[in-house]
Amino acid sequence: MARFYISTPIYYVNDAPHLGHAYTTIAADALARYHRAVGDDTRLLTGTDEYGLKVEQAAAARGLQPIELADRVVERFRSTWAHLDIAHDDFIRTTEQRHTHVVQELWRRMEASGDIYKGKYEGWYCVACEAYYPESELLEGRLCPTHKTPATWLSEPTYFFRMSRYQDALLHHFERHPTFVQPEGYKNEVVSFVKSGLRDLSISRTTFRWGVPVPGDEEHVVYVWFDALTNYMSALGPVGGELHRRYWPATCHLIGKDILRFHAVYWPCMLLSARLPLPETVVAHGWWTVRGEKISKSMPATRVDPNRLADDIGVDAVRYYLLREVPLGLDGDFTYENLIGRYNAELAHDLGNLVSRALTVAEKFAGGVVPPVQSRRAEAAHAELSEVADRVIGEAAGHYRAFAPSRALESIWRLVGETNRYINNTQPWRMAKSGAQAAELDHTIRMSLEAIACAARMLAPVMPRTAVQIIHLVGGTAGLAGSWPSAARFGQELAAGAQVGKSQILFPRIDEERQAALLDQWIPKDARPAAPGAEPDPAPEPSSKAKAKATSKAKPSKASGLEAAGPEVVTFDEFGRMDLRVAEVVEAFAIPGATKLLRLVLDIGEAERRQVVAGIAEAYQPEQLIGRRVIFLANLKPATIRGVTSQGMILAAGAERVVGLSALDRDVPPGTKVR
Ligand code: MSP
């Protein structure tokens, strides 16, 4: 049995939990849940960072003792994690005794290595970062480069950690463990930082008292980052104790890119000095903005409360959106419209419809129970479904293991799509009418229920409630631990005769009216853009028509709830009339007065440029698009939209609202034909 010990950062208690905190914690939770599902000895740690000047000042500003503030805010973190279904195995507070002991033990070990010496520190300090900055890194006016607030000149006696000593050892470690820092781009950043020269680190403070006392010198408290980083180990109890032996070194510290240097440089150097093993990986994720703005206390509109979102749209929908929207490692921009767009397209439409259709079929034609297994048939549709399931089981596992939950979800959606197609193609309602062999009909129903159970199990790390609900609905029983599906057993999970639940709507579609009501509640009045729906749908004409057609067909008809035949059939020749090519976005602009549209200039190969108007402004900022390669329809009749000529159309996903752009999975030059 493999071991998987994953941590989130510990959160400062001067701030209430917001979307950014929720993202890290949900991602870590999903990865841990995957590892539990494959039977690994898994441990998920989260907690709070309670010492330091920042917290001391925040408490003083409220007329509280630091511990009083901490006690209050910790409860908010705990309740938020409970609300978001975070299944952590431990929650560490740095003010606990178990933590103090290990911080002091680490200090002594580093001292014993001859790596701690006393000196004096003078420099520019940013309280918000709890870090010194060399003057060269400060912005004009001596502002902190991260917070843009004035740095303070501090001069104090301090203990230093001889970090410079570990520069070569650390570079050597990076070489021998190429996956130590992930994703790759972040690794390069860290390597060049270390190569530029490591300086000794000031690791104690005398100007305030709110910290772990330095062993043997009570005048000093341990620098808050030294103490905070140690939480990953102190939560396991004494060094050398049972939990420590079982789980150290950690498998993964999942963190935001803002605190990469502390985790990928300072912490490993501390461990090298203390003669303790280094964590296996440090995985950095990107930074979320909210409607293009940095999340900040001074901008209430950016302070999205994950609790509220979960109340209004469902916990699993929030978890799904955050993990699906942005590949781990990249930055993302949160918009409510995008959240609703994905909810409607992927949860209400793709997944929700699939489950309700399959249940209706089972109820009508199999007496509401799981039909018995029939010998596996060779018909193309059946074979294709199990092939896709086999492939997706392997792919999704690989993506979860590689810290890529968004890609795992993409794979799982291939199975969801394939199962929808399977029901369309096999048409069980026709089979029933035509009096086809009962065995054939049973087999089809059984396979669709099995495929849904299989998809639900793979979805469980991200959407645990929905997964359990779906598994029960299709007649399954087992819990989630150790339940990752096996390709070899595909089609044999459910017990024949088990009761299948009544067809139901898992994710009620959010219509325009409800969307307007939600946006009204969510977006503070002063930060509200033009009323939703005030503009006509800006998606270029033909695509919106084609999409409207496809979606109206894909909705189950009221009469039977079953005849969702999918888009109408086109011949290969009809398809061949479209001039589809790879295009690269070279310029992107907002269109004044049009909140949903962007003007793009595309390189479409052979030195040709085209201008298009795309209805993607709610999903993308212009600057996010530069350099992106997309699929482009070049022979679409030009049209004038909002006074701008549009010469073609880029392909995007999303039934009514764009939720993603078309993309190529490798470097294909502009102009290349797409077929
Ligand atoms: N206390 C330190 C971490 C010590 S770990 C030994 C700290 N705390 S924090 O509360 O300010 O932020 C913790 C983490 O929250 C960030 O690293 C990041 O993972 C997450 N995020 C905070 N804001 C975020 C966004 N806007 N977007 C994505 N994640 C964000 O730093």
Side-chain angles (χ1 to χ4, degrees), residues 137-475:
E137 282 189 30
L138 293 178
L139 304 178
E140 212 181 302
R142 299 217 174 89
L143 301 184
C144 158
T146 308
H147 294 90
K148 320 276 186 290
T149 47
T152 317
W153 179 257
L154 290 186
S155 167
E156 55 180 331
T158 188
Y159 286 96
F160 282 98
F161 164 42
R162 236 181 264 285
M163 195 159 70
S164 52
R165 216 187 203 183
Y166 293 95
Q167 177 167 337
D168 292 342
L170 189 57
L171 288 171
H172 187 57
H173 186 83
F174 292 159
E175 261 165 41
R176 278 188 318 164
H177 301 89
T179 56
F180 180 66
V181 178
Q182 296 184 45
E184 189 75 14
Y186 291 120
K187 173 182 154 190
N188 301 337
E189 196 181 304
V190 171
V191 170
S192 20
F193 172 72
V194 177
K195 281 191 174 155
S196 72
L198 287 186
R199 292 188 313 177
D200 290 352
L201 186 70
S202 157
I203 51 166
S204 74
R205 298 283 181 269
T206 51
T207 45
F208 64 96
R209 304 301 317 142
W210 185 234
V212 174
V214 165
D217 189 346
E218 304 266 313
E219 292 283 288
H220 291 246
V221 291
V222 173
Y223 170 43
V224 64
W225 268 103
F226 181 114
D227 128 46
L229 289 161
T230 309
N231 88 87
Y232 304 125
M233 190 178 279
S234 66
L236 299 175
V239 174
E242 194 205 322
L243 277 180
H244 181 98
R245 277 183 281 122
R246 180 157 159 200
Y247 290 110
W248 195 259
T251 320
C252 168
H253 294 323
L254 181 68
I255 53 159
K257 64 176 184 179
D258 52 319
I259 52 175
L260 181 58
R261 206 180 273 184
F262 296 101
H263 285 81
V265 181
Y266 296 7
W267 178 229
C269 286
M270 286 164 62
L271 291 167
L272 286 170
S273 165
R275 312 276 188 265
L276 288 164
L278 271 49
E280 284 165 29
T281 53
V282 174
V283 175
H285 65 68
W287 200 243
W288 281 88
T289 46
V290 170
R291 303 173 88 84
E293 303 285 349
K294 193 167 179 248
I295 299 178
S296 95
K297 283 192 186 157
S298 56
M299 303 256 297
T302 64
R303 306 207 43 97
V304 175
D305 177 0
N307 293 291
R308 176 140 188 221
L309 280 188
D311 282 341
D312 290 340
I313 198 170
V315 176
D316 279 357
V318 175
R319 292 174 60 109
Y320 173 81
Y321 167 78
L322 289 176
L323 296 190
R324 177 74 190 261
E325 176 70 7
V326 187
L328 204 86
L330 299 187
D331 291 341
D333 186 41
F334 174 89
T335 68
Y336 296 101
E337 292 82 353
N338 220 345
L339 168 67
I340 293 174
R342 275 200 186 272
Y343 173 100
N344 276 343
E346 290 153 27
L347 298 181
H349 183 264
D350 299 344
L351 181 64
N353 277 354
L354 171 64
V355 174
S356 74
R357 293 173 71 201
L359 294 178
T360 309
V361 170
E363 191 181 333
K364 286 205 163 181
F365 309 124
V369 295
V370 175
V373 179
Q374 305 293 332
S375 58
R376 278 199 169 195
R377 310 212 155 212
E379 284 85 355
H382 303 315
E384 251 169 55
L385 181 64
S386 35
E387 255 172 53
V388 171
D390 290 358
R391 207 171 44 244
V392 168
I393 291 170
E395 274 175 18
H399 293 316
Y400 279 126
R401 273 199 300 275
F403 310 103
S406 70
R407 303 198 62 197
L409 290 170
E410 272 168 32
S411 290
I412 298 164
W413 247 248
R414 273 204 287 286
L415 178 58
V416 169
E418 185 60 31
T419 314
N420 257 321
R421 256 188 307 281
Y422 175 79
I423 298 180
N424 289 345
N425 293 343
T426 51
Q427 303 195 337
W429 50 93
R430 290 245 167 92
M431 279 188 205
K433 252 191 231 155
S434 70
Q437 281 188 357
E440 178 68 19
L441 179 57
D442 273 358
H443 186 72
T444 304
I445 297 172
R446 169 84 188 217
M447 289 294 275
S448 28
L449 296 175
E450 291 277 2
I452 291 172
C454 174
R457 293 215 178 272
M458 292 188 282
L459 197 53
V462 178
M463 304 180 77
R465 286 188 198 193
T466 306
V468 169
Q469 193 184 0
I470 294 178
I471 291 165
H472 283 137
L473 282 172
V474 297

Side-chain angles (χ1 to χ4, degrees), residues 641-657:
I641 302 169
R642 293 275 179 144
V644 183
T645 310
S646 184
Q647 309 158 297
M649 179 177 92
I650 61 169
L651 300 196
E656 281 162 18
R657 293 191 174 269

Side-chain angles (χ1 to χ4, degrees), residues 425-561:
N425 293 343
T426 51
Q427 303 195 337
W429 50 93
R430 290 245 167 92
M431 279 188 205
K433 252 191 231 155
S434 70
Q437 281 188 357
E440 178 68 19
L441 179 57
D442 273 358
H443 186 72
T444 304
I445 297 172
R446 169 84 188 217
M447 289 294 275
S448 28
L449 296 175
E450 291 277 2
I452 291 172
C454 174
R457 293 215 178 272
M458 292 188 282
L459 197 53
V462 178
M463 304 180 77
R465 286 188 198 193
T466 306
V468 169
Q469 193 184 0
I470 294 178
I471 291 165
H472 283 137
L473 282 172
V474 297
T477 46
L480 295 178
S483 71
W484 187 257
S486 114
R489 287 200 315 270
F490 177 73
Q492 300 162 48
E493 165 171 351
L494 304 172
Q499 196 68 39
V500 170
K502 285 245 172 295
S503 177
Q504 53 184 273
I505 297 176
L506 292 181
F507 299 97
R509 212 188 128 67
I510 300 176
D511 59 18
E512 286 287 322
E513 200 181 319
R514 169 114 175 95
Q515 169 163 349
L518 282 174
L519 294 180
D520 210 45
Q521 289 165 31
W522 285 340
I523 303 175
K525 296 253 176 316
D526 51 352
R528 208 161 289 165
E535 280 184 315
D537 189 357
E541 286 295 301
S543 80
S544 55
K545 270 192 197 152
K547 280 176 186 163
K549 221 174 194 175
T551 39
S552 65
K553 285 229 165 186
K555 274 183 208 150
S557 80
K558 284 213 178 83
S560 65

